[in-house]
Amino acid sequence: TEGSLTGFADAASVSAWAQDAMEWAVAEGILTGKNGSVLDPQGTASRAEVAMMLMRFTQSENN
């Protein structure tokens, strides 16, 4: 399952090696982006953001 990153303002800054994984994570609802429709792929994730990603992953049907 692939999602589209085109809705995010900084989609072009996703590294080529991470593109497929980021698309999958968006399609599965694990990554939803930050305020202002950005992914911030070159930034760091806060503890709360990681906790939310883990929660969404464990609750997804396809894990």
Side-chain angles (χ1 to χ4, degrees):
T1 305
E2 287 190 12
S4 174
L5 302 181
T6 58
F8 298 98
D10 58 350
S13 62
V14 174
S15 298
W17 60 266
Q19 189 76 33
D20 290 342
M22 292 290 278
E23 290 174 350
W24 171 83
V26 168
E28 294 295 318
I30 295 168
L31 288 178
T32 58
K34 296 183 177 185
N35 292 336
S37 299
V38 295
L39 288 169
D40 193 19
Q42 303 300 321
T44 56
S46 70
R47 192 176 334 163
E49 290 169 332
V50 173
M52 288 301 297
M53 288 185 279
L54 288 172
M55 183 185 76
R56 291 180 191 130
F57 176 74
T58 59
Q59 292 177 345
S60 71
E61 295 178 15
N62 298 320
N63 61 14

